Amino acid sequence: GGVGGGGGDAALSSARLRLFPGRYDRFDSPRVREAVREYIRIAEAEGLSPAQLALAFCRSRWYIPSTLIGATSMEQLHENLAAFAKSAHLSPDALAAIEAVHCRHRNPSLSD
């Protein structure tokens, strides 16, 4: 989605959101864009792409037995697989920052 799309407003305009017009409209809102920007800052601080941050977070959850990736190119496939390398473990600070963003922006794609 937006986080895995490459970064910021560019991610929201060039990601899968735009490949299927109308299907993902609920993810194109100011609330979603702000949450995505915050997650991107965490990814950058960890030296990861936004997609790698999302996948590494899923990997860190004991209750997620498998993770699906949605690569549309070989470049994306390599990027996604790198999220499962031993070096892609998230720091305690990153996990805390992710939780803080989640608390500030619970379900940002839902309208009030």
Side-chain angles (χ1 to χ4, degrees):
V3 175
D9 290 330
L12 292 168
S13 64
S14 64
R16 194 174 313 268
L17 302 175
R18 300 293 178 248
L19 292 177
F20 306 101
R23 181 169 183 170
Y24 300 109
D25 285 350
R26 68 188 174 128
F27 298 111
D28 188 13
S29 72
R31 290 173 52 173
V32 170
R33 285 191 290 276
E34 182 55 32
V36 168
R37 281 187 202 97
E38 291 185 38
Y39 287 122
I40 289 169
R41 283 193 286 274
I42 298 167
E44 290 171 347
E46 288 291 296
L48 300 171
S49 72
Q52 289 170 331
L53 177 78
L55 292 168
F57 179 78
C58 289
R59 180 180 179 210
S60 75
R61 307 294 86 184
W62 65 267
Y63 49 83
I64 299 179
S66 62
T67 304
L68 300 176
I69 57 174
T72 56
S73 69
M74 288 303 290
E75 181 182 350
Q76 281 185 336
L77 178 61
H78 292 294
E79 175 187 356
N80 290 345
L81 292 176
F84 298 99
K86 288 185 179 189
S87 62
H89 285 281
L90 297 175
S91 70
D93 287 344
L95 292 170
I98 290 168
E99 178 65 18
V101 172
H102 172 70
C103 287
R104 278 192 302 279
H105 302 285
R106 287 192 188 275
N107 297 316
S109 65
L110 298 179
S111 59
D112 293 328

